[in-house]
Amino acid sequence: MVTVLDRTRPAAGPRHPEKAKRPDTEVLRKPDWIRVRAPGSPVWRETNEIVRANKLVTVCEEAGCPNIGECWSKKHATFMILGDTCTRACAFCNVKTGMPEAVDADEPARVADAVAKLGLHHVVITSVDRDDLKDGGARHFADVIRAIRASSPGTTIEILTPDFLRKDGALEVVVEARPDVFNHNLECVPSLYLTVRPGARYFHSLRLLQRVKELDPTMFTKSGIMVGLGEERNEILQLMDDLRSADVDFLTVGQYLQPTRKHHAVLRFVAPAEFQSFETMAYAKGFLMVSASPLTRSSHHAGEDFAKLKAARAAKARPSQALAAG
């Protein structure tokens, strides 16, 4: 269980001040299918040393990802740019909240250096929400993408962005930098937004994903949701339809895991067979790629999944090309 207090700095205050006075919620016992090995392999330690040496933040640590042992043992770290403090206070998230520090202009170079040292063929870059910035951090995202391209031209880049709510022109800046995959998570079904993701707007997030394809039809788009928060099955299926209407290529579905007793409660653990049914339905609705399992996370197996995503698009294009030739 992750603590609600931030013990990484001396005399630190609450990690989530907006949650500190909330009543504790019941924590359900995890089922057998949600078990992971503790981190600590030699490669994990090497990854950790590179992250520390470059003074970088990872969402793997900040969000308390259960897959950190597996991913870091493959040198697959997901970098979280624009600081470690988020201006939003989502009920599910373990990232620290409050007023962020100034943007670090040297961060793009340090991220690029770490990507090169880790030898990443595919990298995922995410960020905190920065509602305090005029562009929401869009220019910084673009700077990071360009820095990685310069030092590791063979590395494919996947970004997981905030929603850039009320930041006119921000999305265009990021798309112009041409990441290989543009990911923005819906996180949950729309009926839960007021309690789970109160700072966001469901249809704005959908429109953001749709707009990416309007700006660059060749760019892969991706989105993800958590389950176990109180959603109904029909709501998930409708969300899939909404994403397909926005021409989203890749869907991830994972089990919500409660970071602390102060966060939104896990209302149920979804069985693996139900995740399999979500995957079947999502493919039937036209997604090129689907990852649905209890431990699925946005950046989990991202490199392998990107290769499958490209192959699926190529396979879909071949019949139409043959028809045109005939």
Side-chain angles (χ1 to χ4, degrees):
M1 183 63 66
V2 179
T3 179
V4 77
L5 295 178
D6 184 357
R7 302 191 188 279
T8 61
R9 299 176 182 177
R15 185 175 178 85
H16 305 284
E18 80 291 343
K19 297 179 177 71
K21 294 184 179 180
R22 289 184 182 178
D24 288 354
T25 55
E26 180 184 1
V27 177
L28 300 180
R29 179 180 173 82
K30 291 188 178 108
D32 291 339
W33 61 78
I34 301 182
R35 301 293 177 190
V36 294
R37 291 183 178 180
S41 71
V43 179
W44 182 94
R45 287 192 289 272
E46 184 180 352
T47 303
N48 184 54
E49 288 170 3
I50 292 172
V51 169
R52 298 288 169 264
N54 284 273
K55 300 178 181 178
L56 297 174
V57 179
T58 69
V59 74
C60 321
E61 298 167 287
E62 297 300 315
C65 181
N67 301 316
I68 187 171
E70 176 192 348
C71 293
W72 281 31
S73 291
K74 300 175 182 178
K75 293 189 176 181
H76 294 171
T78 297
F79 300 107
M80 191 170 78
I81 61 175
L82 293 164
D84 65 353
T85 305
C86 187
T87 55
R88 303 272 176 97
C90 295
F92 67 88
C93 187
N94 194 48
V95 173
K96 185 168 64 175
T97 58
M99 182 55 66
E101 297 179 357
V103 175
D104 182 352
D106 294 328
E107 186 176 52
R110 296 201 311 276
V111 171
D113 183 63
V115 169
K117 288 177 178 175
L118 290 168
L120 295 177
H121 299 294
H122 184 85
V123 63
V124 182
I125 306 295
T126 189
S127 80
V128 290
D129 274 287
R130 289 299 300 260
D131 295 314
D132 58 313
L133 301 176
K134 185 176 181 180
D135 69 348
R139 178 63 59 187
H140 198 72
F141 259 103
D143 289 343
V144 171
I145 292 169
R146 294 188 181 106
I148 295 171
R149 293 274 188 238
S151 65
S152 302
T155 300
T156 50
I157 302 172
E158 179 173 330
I159 58 170
L160 172 55
T161 76
D163 58 18
F164 301 121
L165 188 63
R166 303 183 186 91
K167 308 293 182 182
D168 291 343
L171 177 64
E172 288 77 3
V173 169
V174 179
V175 173
E176 186 181 0
R178 292 194 55 78
D180 296 282
V181 182
F182 192 108
N183 185 4
H184 172 65
N185 285 337
L186 292 183
E187 304 292 9
C188 62
V189 299
S191 66
L192 296 177
Y193 261 53
L194 285 178
T195 54
V196 174
R197 200 181 176 213
R201 300 294 178 268
Y202 178 78
F203 287 105
H204 172 82
S205 287
L206 270 178
R207 176 58 183 152
L208 182 90
L209 290 160
Q210 183 182 46
R211 180 65 178 148
V212 172
K213 276 295 174 70
E214 292 173 356
L215 292 167
D216 186 348
T218 68
M219 190 171 291
F220 288 106
T221 51
K222 178 177 177 179
S223 190
I225 62 166
M226 303 168 291
V227 293
L229 289 151
E231 66 289 324
E232 298 291 335
R233 180 177 175 81
N234 285 344
E235 292 182 293
I236 296 172
L237 300 182
Q238 180 61 60
L239 178 144
M240 291 181 186
D241 288 336
D242 292 343
L243 286 173
R244 288 303 302 132
S245 294
D247 201 20
V248 170
D249 301 301
F250 187 171
L251 172 68
T252 61
V253 184
Q255 172 70 53
Y256 167 61
L257 298 177
Q258 185 178 354
T260 75
R261 291 180 180 273
K262 302 296 184 182
H263 285 75
H264 192 291
V266 174
L267 297 188
R268 75 181 182 108
F269 286 104
V270 178
E274 192 169 350
F275 280 102
Q276 182 61 53
S277 74
F278 290 146
E279 179 178 309
T280 300
M281 290 300 300
Y283 275 123
K285 289 175 181 293
F287 288 97
L288 290 178
M289 182 67 198
V290 182
S291 178
S293 73
L295 290 173
T296 288
R297 297 296 183 267
S298 294
S299 57
H300 194 212
H301 299 159
E304 297 94 323
D305 287 345
F306 178 60
K308 295 175 185 176
L309 184 62
K310 289 191 296 181
R313 175 182 281 180
K316 185 178 180 181
R318 280 195 289 271
S320 59
Q321 291 169 351
L323 184 63

